[in-house]
Amino acid sequence: MKLPLFQLDTFTDKPFAGNAAAVCPLPRWIDDSLMQAIAAENNLPETAFFVGARGSYHLRGFTPVTEVDLCGHGTLASGFVVLNELERDRDEVKFQTRCGELAVRRSDNRLAMDLPSQPPRPCVVPPELIQGLGVDPVEVLASEDFLVVLENEDAVRAITPNFNLLRKLPLRGVIVTAPGLVEYDFVSRFFGPKVGVDEDPVTGSAHCVLTPYWAGKLQKSEMIARQVSARGGILRCSLGDGRVALSGKCVKYLAGEIFIE
């Protein structure tokens, strides 16, 4: 069996930055165990698989160790493959996912995604969270992930997590955030050792939580965010009625085939 494979760097305008994702268009679904094995072999934060045609697809995403409900950068990468490789005459593609319908469309020289808003809420703070980050937070909330708010960007950049402690947490991962210094409205980092990604370079799904949070704090519906991982990435964030629009650029790094006997 031969399967097409694309690898892209997302939320960046240059290679070797942003977040890498693999995308495998399929003629039909293959076994879940095989998709998980391919994702583990790729060893990227996300490998996306989709089936469909004519602007309508079903999309699934896998980290190296598990399937996830929502992956922003995998969705953006899949949209790039459809709109720039498979159906170049289209301006929008829709994906059916485990968290509903997600759309990716051309927006100037970027791609824009329509994702669900996931406002964080007050929560009980596990001791492993504070110990694992080694910080004194301004605020801790939760959605699908814990949201830990720090005083400033330098504090976010300085964190050296204890991943063994963070792996014990009951939620998917940990978002750490603070106001941006100059160019950006806010900054963040994302840690997901529980799903096989110690630190995700740029996390689209985390901005479904960050966007409504910072929109409330800053009293702005349009914001520019930077994820301050080693690779780094830039996202334009817009809050609508129960939805978050995220836009960014993608760079194609690789196109090839997977061979499976």
Side-chain angles (χ1 to χ4, degrees):
M1 174 171 35
K2 296 181 183 180
L3 300 174
L5 173 71
F6 298 89
Q7 185 173 324
L8 300 103
D9 292 329
T10 65
F11 296 113
T12 181
D13 59 0
K14 60 184 179 181
F16 315 119
N19 203 357
V23 178
C24 293
L26 300 174
R28 65 190 68 83
W29 289 116
I30 57 178
D31 289 344
D32 289 7
S33 60
L34 181 54
M35 288 190 284
Q36 186 63 74
I38 291 171
E41 184 73 10
N42 290 337
N43 199 30
L44 298 172
E46 180 80 8
T47 298
F49 301 86
F50 60 72
V51 172
R54 296 184 294 279
S56 179
Y57 295 82
H58 287 263
L59 173 68
R60 297 173 67 181
F62 293 77
T63 75
V65 300
T66 191
E67 184 172 6
V68 294
D69 291 340
L70 173 63
C71 178
H73 87 282
T75 303
L76 194 73
S78 297
F80 179 95
V81 169
V82 172
L83 297 178
N84 292 277
E85 300 288 338
L86 305 182
E87 300 189 57
R88 296 180 181 180
D89 58 334
R90 291 191 180 275
D91 290 324
E92 182 180 69
V93 55
K94 294 183 178 179
F95 295 106
Q96 302 299 324
T97 75
R98 288 166 61 165
C99 62
E101 183 178 272
L102 308 179
V104 179
R105 58 179 174 81
R106 301 186 197 274
S107 177
D108 297 326
N109 61 346
R110 300 185 302 274
L111 292 177
M113 292 186 294
D114 172 56
L115 303 176
S117 177
Q118 298 174 338
R121 58 193 181 279
C123 68
V124 175
V125 182
E128 294 88 354
L129 177 61
I130 304 305
Q131 295 168 13
L133 294 175
V135 298
D136 183 15
V138 173
E139 188 175 17
V140 178
L141 303 167
S143 183
E144 184 176 358
D145 309 297
F146 288 104
L147 178 67
V148 179
V149 183
L150 301 185
E151 185 175 352
N152 55 52
E153 180 176 330
D154 289 339
V156 174
R157 291 180 180 272
I159 289 177
T160 304
N162 182 325
F163 293 117
N164 288 329
L165 286 175
L166 298 186
R167 196 171 286 114
K168 298 176 182 179
L169 296 172
L171 301 182
R172 180 187 69 163
V174 179
I175 308 164
V176 182
T177 188
L181 288 174
V182 180
E183 295 181 73
Y184 308 104
D185 292 290
F186 63 88
V187 300
S188 67
R189 291 171 70 187
F190 181 87
F191 308 112
K194 190 171 184 176
V195 294
V197 182
D198 282 351
E199 180 166 4
D200 196 34
V202 191
T203 315
S205 60
H207 288 76
C208 295
V209 180
L210 288 161
T211 301
Y213 175 82
W214 284 112
K217 292 293 184 180
L218 301 175
Q219 294 298 295
K220 299 173 70 174
S221 60
E222 304 279 341
M223 294 164 287
I224 300 178
R226 181 170 180 85
Q227 197 153 330
V228 290
S229 62
R231 288 172 63 99
I234 299 171
L235 308 90
R236 295 180 180 270
C237 310
S238 176
L239 182 64
D241 185 12
R243 306 294 292 181
V244 168
L246 301 179
S247 66
K249 297 181 179 181
C250 293
V251 177
K252 185 169 72 171
Y253 171 71
L254 177 152
E257 289 182 317
I258 299 171
F259 296 89
I260 302 172
E261 293 186 357

